[in-house]
Amino acid sequence: MDDLYREYILEHYKSPHNKGDIAHPDRFAAYANPFCGDRLQMGVRLEGDRVVEVRFNGTGCAISQASASMLTDEIQGKTLAELAEITKEDIFEMLGIPLSPARQKCALLAWEVLRKGILRLDEDTAEESDLA
Amino acid sequence: MDDLYREYILEHYKSPHNKGDIAHPDRFAAYANPFCGDRLQMGVRLEGDRVVEVRFNGTGCAISQASASMLTDEIQGKTLAELAEITKEDIFEMLGIPLSPARQKCALLAWEVLRKGILRLDEDTAEESDLA
Amino acid sequence: MLDVSAQPAIDALAPRADFPILSREVNGKPLVYLDSTASSQKPLAVIDAMERFYRQSNANVHRGAYALSEEASAAYEGARKAVAKFIHARSVKEIVFTRNATEGLNVVAQTWGLANIKAGDVIVLSEMEHHSNLVPWQILAARTGAVLEFIPVTDDGLLDLAAYARLLERRPRLVAFTLMSNVLGTIPPAREMIAQAHAAGAVVVCDGAQAVPHLPLDVRALDCDFLAFSSHKMLGPTGIGVLYGKRALLEAMPPFLGGGDMIREVHLRSFTPNDLPWKFEAGTPAIAEAVGLHAAVDYLSALGMERVAAHEAELAQRMIAALSAIPGLHIIGPTSPPRGAVVSFTIDGMHPHDIATLLDQDGIAIRAGHHCAQPLMERFGLPATARASAYVYTTSSEIDTLAESVARARDLFA
Amino acid sequence: MLDVSAQPAIDALAPRADFPILSREVNGKPLVYLDSTASSQKPLAVIDAMERFYRQSNANVHRGAYALSEEASAAYEGARKAVAKFIHARSVKEIVFTRNATEGLNVVAQTWGLANIKAGDVIVLSEMEHHSNLVPWQILAARTGAVLEFIPVTDDGLLDLAAYARLLERRPRLVAFTLMSNVLGTIPPAREMIAQAHAAGAVVVCDGAQAVPHLPLDVRALDCDFLAFSSHKMLGPTGIGVLYGKRALLEAMPPFLGGGDMIREVHLRSFTPNDLPWKFEAGTPAIAEAVGLHAAVDYLSALGMERVAAHEAELAQRMIAALSAIPGLHIIGPTSPPRGAVVSFTIDGMHPHDIATLLDQDGIAIRAGHHCAQPLMERFGLPATARASAYVYTTSSEIDTLAESVARARDLFA
Ligand SMILES: Cc1ncc(COP(=O)(O)O)c(C=O)c1O
Ligand SMILES: Cc1ncc(COP(=O)(O)O)c(C=O)c1O
């Protein structure tokens, strides 16, 4: 049981970092988890192409909330180019817990909002590899 | 093999009775076998409500052609009321051969044209018994 | 917490040995399958019937002039007759095989609906519908300009019948609602609602996806005009469902899909549709699946649908009692009969997904999410619920295991 | 009559013991199954895969936060990947599971078609299409005012390519044709035809119901825009089929049916569709059937589709040689390669049904009728044909048995 719900995951869940709204974000995006419908939104304030403030909001499971909490910690202070380097695997490593495919979707929700919504990356070519 | 294709069936098939067209039929109907798409048409001349002439036409298998040949022999000279008395079972008895469900449809094609097309019977109530 | 062990045990209604999957382990624990509302498990009778079909009688249906094809056709049409009898239809012509309940509802929307609904017509649905009984009507409304109105759901999970009566005053063309909510377990008073709708001049579509597996159902007594349900939720295979429709309505409807089997005659530029029910079955149907559904219907009939309903009513009360004893846990939906054995709940400070994941580690399969009823979640201001559901193979000791595991999960997050 | 015994025997390509039904007797004779064009028999690998799924992993897919549901989802999506690879699609997003080929063709007609076809637009089909590739376009034409034109079939059963070139000058919006005729065995030069259609600005829909089971197929090389086929004709179960579509086209299309799984978000009066391919899969899909299809695709891949095609090419020539030696017998369709191992024939003075019934009494299953291609029958001035077809389990000695039985049947009617 405690494999997944480690102390630090529950802590991030109960006291999430960077949770809330930004009044006038430079970039803002919201995205629903296709697995469960939970919505997560994220806003950033930029100076040049560097994130100087980030907030997320929405309800979600411990995995998605902890992931958003930890990822927004990472985002703070990075440039958009640096953020584009973050991979799925980085997220899994950051969380440090074994995840089933369904829970991986929860873990990646914040990362998806970041990539598709904030960084506005076209994921098409990346997803072409689904036959590997 | 000869169970189904008895001598008399093949004879009716090769030399069908009452095959052809009537120039000015009093009643005329055509119907396709839902099982195979073969069409069979039938025309009758009436005097009062008595059939004085009947002809059928169309291509079909030995079973449907022999059935039409034998049924039209029966029709000749009967009143419409008498014809309405002819049942499916009468047709099977008339043919005198064992028929699988699919071939029963062939055997009954002429009878269906007679009932629905010539006698204009509404079969709805009769078919309600399909849950027996 | 309630001492459930003090209550008399409830055995499974069906022999558990009939269901091979129930002897499986999950995460090192015996499987406790409490997600039959999403899909039921299958008895050997169903699995074997399909296997036998493929090993002995497999062929395409309807047009084969050889023994195997006649056997397959007889098996397929025999399944239709069994289904017709199971729901007390008048004729096999009223039974159309579809892929699932969802397709059945879409068939009505896209054939009867497009032919009969005009701009400004009112369509009455309820707030507790499954997406499959919402989206088809949204698409229809978008195409035709019809107006959708909704029977509200009360705080205790019932349909607001006074509001329904007021909606009927607007003389809707169509009323569509579920005979049992897949989230709340609510069983609305369908017979009265249908009579009222008919009095107001509406055609009534019932979503039977939950009712047909769990309750005795008689379409003649109910008098609904259409009824859609799925095989996979009633012990049968995936890949097949049923649309029941009153014959006169089906006769008057244009066909849905075009192709083999649904035609009587085809020319290059025109066709004549086939008779009922084949008019609505284009292409090679789900033959082996019909055979499996037939076996499922026989299995349920042998158990007796009255007994199935009684078994589940008992389990529902047991589940509600055991779960509501857990601090911070809230049942969403009616807590007293009539209701189905599907129980939604939330726990303060816990997301339903985390509940389900923690239970899974105890071998317990429950569902968490919006259960394809997002508007109902919105109605209750919830992102999701956890949902446990029972069926003929469920025992009270499984319910006890569920309650213990939920209590432990809650403690972890407390 | 040709002395077929003088020719070398051709063994089955697949072990016959893999197909339990082939050891069955019909009317006291060993079953000789020569109707694979209508539906194929199933190897144990397929039957067992589905049985195993129901016994071990059955659950609903996509939204379950428990192990069983994740297993079922992985099995279902794994099948999609296997199918994508089998036809060399670019992505699983291009693979939509349908009930059968027929539904796939209707999906294109009712979504892409209704969104893109306008009054006066030309749709080019061929005279040898199956009803499933005719009626959907007739319905579309009736709704939109589009014009249907047909590539003629020559007396020897080939498409008239000169006439096709002329039809393309009318710049059709859509060209739809079969990659193999289920009556004549004709295999049109699809690659060239598709390139020409694209050059003329048309979107191309291919009916792969016969080609996918019997020929190596690469949608990227072929470059068709849509391709529909059925599992039951390629060793897989009934109840499932596939629609392949190029991603950009699928993305731009409105959804087909509304309901669970095909949505991303639902409100009372609106919804947003899900991503590809789920956008086109409403309701609980044919899960066990996908598992069975996966096993079928693996089985065919292990045999090798090149070898399947070569085996059938040999059997086709053997069948044509043996049958044409019978006096009064006429082969309908091309008599030399490239062609499939489906051979239609007529016998002077005999209706095809009587041929099939007489053969059935020898345990031989062939089909007789219009084969869901009535316009093609009209083209040849025939009410029906008899049709024998071979597959991976067919041997030359079965062909010999066929020819002997046909000769005897003919003698009875002579
Ligand atoms: C060429 C062709 N197209 C389409 C179909 C329709 O296939 P299904 O009935 O599986 O939808 C068939 C099957 O008979 C066929 O042979
Ligand atoms: C009430 C209700 N309606 C419709 C459906 C849709 O059933 P299916 O997915 O089998 O089409 C379900 C299944 O979840 C349901 O519970």
Side-chain angles (χ1 to χ4, degrees):
Chain A
M1 234 195 213
D2 12 26
D3 248 25
L4 198 53
Y5 294 97
R6 302 251 171 90
E7 203 70 33
Y8 60 90
I9 297 286
L10 289 174
E11 240 154 57
H12 272 282
Y13 174 59
K14 291 177 189 168
S15 321
H17 307 178
N18 315 308
K19 191 155 178 179
D21 296 316
I22 291 180
H24 299 290
D26 293 305
R27 294 196 181 185
F28 177 86
Y31 199 70
N33 183 343
F35 169 62
C36 62
D38 281 348
R39 290 179 73 85
L40 198 129
Q41 60 184 56
M42 194 181 286
V44 297
R45 268 202 319 109
L46 297 175
E47 270 171 21
D49 74 342
R50 191 173 297 279
V51 174
V52 292
E53 194 185 353
V54 54
R55 289 281 182 280
F56 80 96
N57 222 334
T59 45
C61 59
I63 311 299
S64 74
Q65 295 287 301
S67 173
S69 170
M70 294 163 90
L71 178 62
T72 46
D73 277 350
E74 289 290 320
I75 286 174
Q76 194 90 25
K78 293 240 166 65
T79 65
L80 298 180
E82 284 164 350
L83 293 178
E85 299 291 305
I86 300 175
T87 64
K88 285 184 192 188
E89 287 63 39
D90 294 334
I91 302 290
F92 298 147
E93 212 170 285
M94 176 187 84
L95 284 166
I97 49 176
L99 289 165
S100 72
R103 300 319 295 270
Q104 287 181 8
K105 291 189 189 137
C106 308
L108 294 174
L109 183 57
W111 177 79
E112 274 206 71
V113 179
L114 172 68
R115 282 186 80 80
K116 294 197 188 166
I118 305 293
L119 303 176
R120 297 168 190 169
L121 293 173
D122 182 7
E123 298 290 332
D124 275 13
T125 34
E127 292 180 39
E128 285 294 350
S129 59
D130 60 14
L131 289 181
Chain B
M1 234 192 212
D2 12 24
D3 249 25
L4 199 52
Y5 295 96
R6 302 250 172 92
E7 201 70 33
Y8 61 89
I9 298 286
L10 289 174
E11 239 154 59
H12 271 284
Y13 173 60
K14 291 178 188 168
S15 320
H17 306 178
N18 314 308
K19 190 155 181 180
D21 297 315
I22 291 180
H24 298 288
D26 293 304
R27 295 195 179 185
F28 177 86
Y31 200 70
N33 183 343
F35 169 63
C36 62
D38 281 347
R39 291 178 73 84
L40 196 129
Q41 61 184 57
M42 193 182 286
V44 298
R45 268 202 320 111
L46 297 175
E47 270 172 21
D49 74 341
R50 189 172 299 279
V51 173
V52 293
E53 196 185 353
V54 54
R55 289 281 181 282
F56 80 96
N57 222 335
T59 45
C61 60
I63 310 300
S64 74
Q65 295 287 302
S67 173
S69 170
M70 293 163 90
L71 178 62
T72 45
D73 277 350
E74 289 290 319
I75 286 173
Q76 192 91 25
K78 293 240 166 64
T79 65
L80 297 180
E82 285 164 350
L83 293 178
E85 300 292 305
I86 300 175
T87 65
K88 285 184 191 191
E89 288 64 38
D90 293 335
I91 302 291
F92 297 148
E93 211 170 286
M94 177 187 84
L95 284 166
I97 50 175
L99 288 166
S100 73
R103 301 318 297 269
Q104 287 180 8
K105 290 188 191 137
C106 308
L108 293 175
L109 183 56
W111 179 78
E112 275 207 71
V113 178
L114 172 67
R115 283 187 79 81
K116 294 198 187 163
I118 304 294
L119 303 176
R120 296 166 191 170
L121 294 174
D122 182 6
E123 298 290 330
D124 276 13
T125 36
E127 291 181 40
E128 285 293 350
S129 61
D130 60 13
L131 289 180
Chain C
M1 196 176 150
L2 194 78
D3 183 7
V4 285
S5 59
Q7 301 185 21
I10 306 170
D11 277 344
L13 181 65
R16 284 178 65 89
D18 284 358
F19 295 82
I21 205 171
L22 296 183
S23 54
R24 199 193 129 144
E25 297 208 333
V26 165
N27 293 322
K29 306 280 167 54
L31 169 64
V32 174
Y33 186 73
L34 293 172
D35 194 23
S36 292
T37 292
S39 200
S40 73
Q41 296 304 340
K42 323 300 173 201
L44 279 171
V46 168
I47 302 172
D48 291 350
M50 289 188 286
E51 188 188 339
R52 211 160 39 239
F53 176 78
Y54 282 129
R55 282 171 170 267
Q56 294 176 12
S57 311
N58 177 70
N60 212 327
V61 292
H62 291 154
R63 295 181 189 281
Y66 55 88
L68 219 55
S69 176
E70 296 221 16
E71 275 179 44
S73 303
Y76 182 66
E77 295 303 330
R80 196 191 305 278
K81 191 185 277 195
V83 168
K85 286 184 177 175
F86 187 68
I87 61 166
H88 302 277
R90 284 166 206 81
S91 158
V92 290
K93 290 180 200 297
E94 298 180 323
I95 304 298
V96 175
F97 284 127
T98 60
R99 178 173 35 247
N100 49 29
T102 301
E103 191 190 22
L105 295 163
N106 279 276
V107 170
V108 179
Q110 297 199 14
T111 57
W112 184 89
L114 281 179
N116 290 281
I117 297 287
K118 297 175 306 296
D121 281 353
V122 173
I123 296 175
V124 170
L125 311 171
S126 96
E127 282 181 353
M128 70 181 187
E129 297 312 309
H130 188 280
H131 294 163
S132 294
N133 201 24
L134 286 173
V135 181
W137 311 116
Q138 292 177 353
I139 296 175
L140 178 64
R143 284 205 202 164
T144 58
V147 176
L148 302 181
E149 296 297 348
F150 296 87
I151 313 170
V153 170
T154 66
D155 287 343
D156 42 358
L158 301 176
L159 291 187
D160 179 341
L161 296 175
Y164 177 56
R166 284 192 299 278
L167 285 173
L168 291 181
E169 284 168 17
R170 295 177 55 191
R171 304 199 67 77
R173 203 62 194 94
L174 182 90
V175 172
F177 65 90
T178 184
L179 300 177
M180 184 195 292
S181 161
N182 65 313
V183 178
L184 309 170
T186 312
I187 301 172
R191 213 158 147 168
E192 297 72 38
M193 289 174 66
I194 292 167
Q196 290 171 284
H198 282 162
V203 160
V204 182
V205 179
C206 286
D207 175 354
Q210 294 305 329
V212 175
H214 299 288
L215 303 174
L217 199 145
D218 180 330
V219 288
R220 274 183 281 185
L222 202 58
D223 202 27
C224 58
D225 298 296
F226 295 101
L227 173 78
F229 54 100
S230 287
S231 154
H232 69 94
K233 291 184 201 282
M234 53 191 288
L235 308 183
T238 52
I240 191 165
V242 175
L243 173 65
Y244 157 86
K246 280 188 189 160
R247 185 159 164 195
L249 288 165
L250 291 176
E251 297 275 12
M253 276 151 61
F256 178 50
L257 306 183
D261 281 5
M262 59 66 72
I263 55 89
R264 179 171 281 273
E265 255 182 64
V266 179
H267 303 283
L268 281 176
R269 289 183 176 82
S270 66
F271 72 98
T272 1
N274 202 343
D275 295 335
L276 290 180
W278 307 290
K279 173 172 142 186
F280 293 104
E281 295 181 0
T284 303
I287 309 168
E289 290 72 16
V291 169
L293 174 56
H294 189 163
V297 158
D298 285 351
Y299 190 94
L300 284 171
S301 300
L303 290 178
M305 290 307 294
E306 297 286 354
R307 289 175 65 221
V308 169
H311 176 68
E312 295 184 27
E314 271 196 277
L315 290 175
Q317 290 315 306
R318 181 77 157 236
M319 217 170 346
I320 289 168
L323 290 173
S324 15
I326 297 168
L329 186 148
H330 309 278
I331 305 278
I332 315 298
T335 50
S336 55
R339 66 158 0 269
V342 47
V343 179
S344 273
F345 59 95
T346 59
I347 296 177
D348 295 337
M350 266 191 100
H351 191 282
H353 273 169
D354 296 318
I355 306 177
T357 299
L358 284 164
L359 264 59
D360 187 43
Q361 293 178 357
D362 285 345
I364 305 168
I366 68 160
R367 199 141 283 240
H370 54 59
H371 316 294
C372 298
Q374 285 185 355
L376 184 65
M377 297 293 117
E378 280 180 38
R379 156 68 185 81
F380 282 97
L382 297 168
T385 72
R387 183 188 77 182
S389 54
Y391 205 12
V392 293
Y393 34 71
T394 308
T395 67
S396 60
S397 95
E398 291 183 304
I399 308 284
D400 300 346
T401 307
L402 165 74
E404 286 156 24
S405 182
V406 171
R408 268 200 311 279
R410 188 233 156 225
D411 292 344
L412 186 72
F413 270 67
Chain D
M1 197 173 148
L2 197 77
D3 184 8
V4 285
S5 60
Q7 301 185 22
I10 306 169
D11 277 344
L13 182 64
R16 285 179 63 89
D18 285 358
F19 296 82
I21 205 170
L22 296 183
S23 54
R24 199 194 130 145
E25 296 209 332
V26 165
N27 293 323
K29 307 281 167 54
L31 170 64
V32 174
Y33 186 73
L34 293 172
D35 194 23
S36 292
T37 292
S39 200
S40 73
Q41 296 304 339
K42 324 300 174 200
L44 278 171
V46 168
I47 301 172
D48 291 350
M50 290 190 285
E51 188 187 340
R52 211 159 41 238
F53 176 79
Y54 281 128
R55 283 172 170 266
Q56 295 176 10
S57 311
N58 178 69
N60 211 327
V61 293
H62 291 155
R63 295 181 190 282
Y66 54 89
L68 218 54
S69 177
E70 296 221 17
E71 274 180 42
S73 303
Y76 182 65
E77 295 303 332
R80 196 190 306 277
K81 192 185 277 196
V83 168
K85 285 184 177 174
F86 187 68
I87 61 166
H88 302 277
R90 284 166 206 82
S91 159
V92 290
K93 291 180 199 295
E94 298 180 324
I95 304 297
V96 175
F97 284 128
T98 60
R99 177 173 36 245
N100 49 28
T102 301
E103 191 189 23
L105 296 163
N106 279 276
V107 170
V108 180
Q110 297 199 14
T111 58
W112 184 90
L114 281 178
N116 291 281
I117 297 287
K118 297 176 307 297
D121 281 354
V122 173
I123 296 175
V124 170
L125 311 171
S126 94
E127 282 181 352
M128 69 181 187
E129 297 312 309
H130 188 280
H131 294 163
S132 294
N133 201 23
L134 286 173
V135 181
W137 311 117
Q138 292 178 354
I139 296 175
L140 178 64
R143 285 204 200 163
T144 58
V147 177
L148 302 181
E149 296 296 347
F150 296 87
I151 313 169
V153 170
T154 65
D155 288 343
D156 41 358
L158 301 176
L159 292 186
D160 179 341
L161 297 174
Y164 177 56
R166 284 191 300 276
L167 286 172
L168 291 181
E169 284 168 17
R170 296 177 54 190
R171 303 199 67 78
R173 208 56 197 97
L174 181 90
V175 172
F177 65 91
T178 185
L179 299 177
M180 185 195 291
S181 162
N182 65 313
V183 177
L184 308 171
T186 312
I187 301 172
R191 212 159 150 168
E192 296 72 40
M193 289 174 64
I194 293 167
Q196 289 171 285
H198 283 160
V203 160
V204 182
V205 178
C206 286
D207 175 352
Q210 293 306 329
V212 175
H214 300 287
L215 302 173
L217 198 144
D218 180 330
V219 289
R220 276 184 281 187
L222 203 57
D223 201 28
C224 57
D225 298 295
F226 295 100
L227 173 76
F229 54 100
S230 288
S231 154
H232 71 92
K233 292 183 200 283
M234 53 190 287
L235 308 183
T238 51
I240 192 165
V242 175
L243 174 64
Y244 157 86
K246 280 187 189 161
R247 185 159 165 196
L249 289 166
L250 291 176
E251 297 275 12
M253 275 151 61
F256 180 48
L257 306 183
D261 281 5
M262 59 66 72
I263 55 88
R264 179 170 281 273
E265 255 182 64
V266 178
H267 303 283
L268 281 176
R269 290 185 176 81
S270 67
F271 73 98
T272 0
N274 202 342
D275 295 335
L276 289 179
W278 307 290
K279 174 171 138 185
F280 294 104
E281 295 181 1
T284 303
I287 309 167
E289 290 72 16
V291 169
L293 175 57
H294 188 162
V297 158
D298 285 351
Y299 190 94
L300 284 171
S301 300
L303 289 178
M305 289 309 293
E306 297 284 354
R307 290 176 64 223
V308 169
H311 176 68
E312 296 184 26
E314 270 196 279
L315 289 175
Q317 290 315 306
R318 181 77 156 235
M319 216 170 345
I320 289 167
L323 290 173
S324 14
I326 296 169
L329 187 148
H330 310 278
I331 306 278
I332 315 298
T335 49
S336 55
R339 65 160 0 267
V342 47
V343 178
S344 274
F345 58 96
T346 59
I347 296 178
D348 295 336
M350 266 190 100
H351 191 284
H353 272 169
D354 296 318
I355 305 176
T357 298
L358 284 164
L359 263 60
D360 186 44
Q361 295 179 356
D362 284 347
I364 305 167
I366 68 160
R367 199 141 280 241
H370 54 59
H371 315 294
C372 298
Q374 285 185 354
L376 185 64
M377 296 294 118
E378 280 181 36
R379 155 67 184 84
F380 281 98
L382 297 169
T385 72
R387 183 189 77 182
S389 54
Y391 205 10
V392 293
Y393 35 70
T394 308
T395 67
S396 61
S397 95
E398 291 183 304
I399 308 281
D400 300 346
T401 306
L402 165 75
E404 285 156 24
S405 183
V406 170
R408 267 201 309 281
R410 189 234 155 225
D411 291 344
L412 185 72
F413 269 67

